[in-house]
Every structure is written in C-alpha cells, then in structure tokens.
C-alpha cells in the first residue's frame, strides 16, 4: 500500500501535462466530481497544487513546484 492514493497520483500526472478544470480532470480520470474535488482540496491544502480563478468563475488547477517534486519522487523508479 502506498502512502499517496493512486487517484492523487493520477491527478498530479494529469496536471503535470497541463493545468485543467476539475470537471475535465474527473472526465479524463473517470472519477466522480465529488471525489475529484475532495482530492483537489487536499492537494491544495498540502501545497501540491495551486488554483487560478478565471473571470467566468471557473477554477484552473496546476502543479506547484512541490507538486512537481512529489510527482517525480513517486514516479521515479530508478
């Protein structure tokens, strides 16, 4: 069992590709909206992602530098 849930790792991997809205992440990862937003809040509280509010009221999520380091540590198998 890993210390970081697989869903969070998948979210970080998606955000490493490009910033995204929560609904788009839920769709891409085939996760419920409630589930994705729970993880996004936790990742934000942990300083792994940041949120940018768009003028339309939507939020765009992206990795922070700490999130990039965590993802590299979790996925680097060398």
């Amino acid at each position: 069992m890993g210390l970081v849930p697989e869903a969070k790792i998948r979210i970080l991997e998606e955000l490493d590709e490009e910033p995204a809205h929560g609904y788009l992440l839920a769709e891409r990862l085939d996760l419920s909206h409630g589930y994705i937003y729970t993880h996004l809040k936790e990742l934000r509280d942990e300083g792994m992602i940041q949120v940018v509010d768009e003028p339309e009221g939507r939020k765009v999520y992206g990795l922070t530098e700490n999130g990039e380091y965590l993802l590299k540590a979790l996925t680097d198998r060398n």
Side-chain angles (χ1 to χ4, degrees):
M1 174 168 68
L3 296 174
V4 179
E6 185 66 29
K8 283 187 180 178
I9 295 170
R10 292 174 55 209
I11 291 168
L12 293 172
E13 288 173 334
E14 282 292 321
L15 295 177
D16 189 42
E17 295 294 321
E18 65 180 334
H21 301 281
Y23 281 98
L24 180 60
L25 288 168
E27 185 177 295
R28 286 182 180 170
L29 299 173
D30 195 29
L31 298 171
S32 74
H33 295 127
Y35 192 68
I36 200 89
Y37 283 106
T38 297
H39 283 305
L40 289 171
K41 180 185 180 325
E42 290 171 357
L43 287 167
R44 183 180 183 188
D45 291 349
E46 295 161 358
M48 300 301 132
I49 64 171
Q50 60 188 354
V51 181
V52 175
D53 292 319
E54 290 189 330
E56 304 84 30
R58 297 190 308 177
K59 298 179 184 306
V60 177
Y61 298 87
L63 287 184
T64 62
E65 190 173 355
N66 285 341
E68 291 173 4
Y69 291 140
L70 176 63
L71 182 60
K72 181 169 175 26
L74 293 170
T75 58
D76 188 15
R77 306 291 186 224
N78 296 330

